[in-house]
Amino acid sequence: MQIPENDPLNHANHLLEVLLDAIPRIHNFKGKWSLIRAKLADLKSQLADLADFPLFPTHTLSLDLLHSLSHTLSAALSLSTTCQGPALPDGKLRTQNDVDSVSARLDRHVSDADVLIKSGVLQNAAASGSKRESVRVEARNLITRLQIGTAESKNSAVESLLSLLQEDDKNVLIAVAQGVVPVLVRLLDSSSSSEIKEKTVTAIARVTTVDSSKHVLIAEGLLLLNNLLRVVESGSGFAKQNACIALQALCLSRDNARAIGSRGGISSLLAICHAGTPSSQAAAASVLRNLAAFAQIRENFLEENAVAVLLTLAASGTAAAQENAIGCLCNLLSDSTDMKLLIAREGGIRSLINFWDSVPNVRSLEIAIDLLKNLASCPQIAEVLVSEGFINRVVSVLSCGVLGVRISAAKAVYELGFTVKTRKELGECGAIPPLVRMMEGKAVEEKESAAKALSVLVGCATNRRLFRKEERGIVGAVQLLDPMTKNLDKKYPVSVLASLVHSKKCRKQMITAGACVHLQKLAETEVEGAKKLSESFGRGMIWGVFARP
C-alpha cells in the first residue's frame, strides 16, 4: 500500500516496515544490516512515543525529523535491493561505504528523536501569553534544534539563539535556566563547521556578560576551557575575541589559571596582544591580567617574554587594551624587585606616563596609580618616578571624586615619601589638605590609606606645620583611634599624633578630642606606639615648658 507523503508520520512508518521486511532477504554485508535492523527497531519505538505528544503532528522539529528520516529510509530501501543480488554493480568497497553512511544517518535520527522526546517542546505550552513564557518556549525550541538535524539547521538555530540572547539579560538567564550552556559546550566540542563554532563562542561569551550565569560556565570545567583555548590559538579574529571574553570569567580560579598556563594559553594570548585586532587585544590582555594575579603561573609570563609585549600594548593599544596591559604588569610585579627593575628598564615608566596623560577619565587612572605605587616601592625606581613629575600627578588626583583612585593615590604617596626631600615636595605640592579630608571619608580603606600616607609625610617639619593648619587634622586622626572603627590599622593615626604631641597646642587638641580614652584601650591591645603616646600625655606638664609653637 502506497502511503502519501503529505502524511509524514505514516509515510515514515510505512518505509520503515518495508525496509524491515526486506532485510532478511539481503545476502551482502549481513552483519551491518543486522545492526541497521536494530536501529530501525529503536526508531519504530521512538515514532510511537512521539505520536503520543499533542504537538507532534504539526511541530516544525517533528516535521523536519520525519522528512529527513523518510529520505534516509528511501535511500536504505534502494541500497537493500542492491545488496540482495549476488553481484554489486557499484563494487564491494563503494557499496560498503554506502551501507556505513546509511547506518550513521540512522544513528543520528535515533539520537535526534531521543532529544526531541526528552526536550519537552512537543508538550502543550502553557497559555500564559507572557513575554517570559514565550521566551522560555522559544529558548527550549532553539536548544532542541541545536542538538538535532543537519549542520545547516544547527547553524540557523545558533543564529536565532544569538538574536534572543542579545535582546536583554533576562533572556540570557531564561536560556541558561533551560539548559543552553551544556548544549553550547557540546556543540563547540563537536566536529561542527568553523562558522557554527564561531557563533557558538559568541553565544558563550554573551552568557559570561551576565554575572549570575557565570557559575554555570565554570561548572563545565576543562572541556569548555580546552575548546576555548583552541579557538584562541587558531580561530578567526572575531572568534578569538569572544573566546577571550569567555575566558575572563573562567580564569578567576587557581585551577583554571594553572590549566591555561600549562596548555600554552599564555603564549596564544600574548600572540593576540602582539598582532590581534584592537578589540581582541583588549580582551586577551584582560585574561592575562587575571592570570597574572596567580603567583603559581607568573613564571610562564617570563618564559614567554610577556613584559615586552605588554609594554608595547600599553604604549600603542586602545584605551581598554592599555589599561588591561598595565593591570597585567601591575599584577606581575608582586614583591619581585627584579620584575620591577625589568619593567622600568624596558620602558615601563614612559608607557605609564603616556597612559596617565592620555586617559579619557580619571576613573581609568586607578590601575596606573597601582602600578606607580608598586614601582615606587623600589627606591632606585622611585627616584626616577619623582624626577619624571609623578608627585604632581599623584597629588592632583587625591581630591578626585573616584574613591578607588583616591585610595590608590594615597598609597602611592606613602611609597613616594621615601626621603625627607620627597616628603617635603609632596607637602609643598598640596598633599596634606586632601589627605586630612580623606581621614573623614566613609570607607575604612580610604581612612587608613590617608592616615598611612600622613604618618610618613608628618615626619618632615614643614609638613607638620602644614598639618597643624588644617582645622580637622588632629580631630580626624583622633577619631581613627576609636576602637569602634573596625578593620583599620591604628598604628598609622597613632604615628601621626606621635609626631605632633610635642606641641602643647596639638596635645591639648588631642586630649579634647578624646585621645586619652582611646589610647588606653589601644595600649591594652598592644597597638604599636599607643602606650608610648598615652604616656606622653602624662608628661605634658614637663613638656609644656619646652613646647614647640
Side-chain angles (χ1 to χ4, degrees), residues 449-465:
S449 63
K452 186 175 181 180
L454 286 167
S455 71
V456 169
L457 296 185
V458 294
C460 169
T462 56
N463 287 341
R464 286 196 293 273
R465 286 194 289 273

Side-chain angles (χ1 to χ4, degrees), residues 252-329:
L252 296 176
S253 76
R254 182 169 56 249
D255 289 342
N256 281 351
R258 189 183 294 118
I260 292 172
S262 65
R263 286 164 171 76
I266 291 175
S267 175
S268 298
L269 290 163
L270 287 170
I272 295 174
C273 289
H274 177 67
T277 64
S279 296
S280 65
Q281 285 180 324
S286 179
V287 180
L288 290 169
R289 179 178 179 176
N290 290 341
L291 292 174
F294 296 97
Q296 299 89 336
I297 62 171
R298 286 180 189 142
E299 190 66 31
N300 298 75
F301 282 84
L302 290 175
E303 292 171 359
E304 299 295 341
N305 194 29
V307 170
V309 176
L310 291 166
L311 285 174
T312 299
L313 187 60
S316 60
T318 63
Q322 289 179 325
E323 184 173 341
N324 285 326
I326 288 175
C328 184
L329 290 168

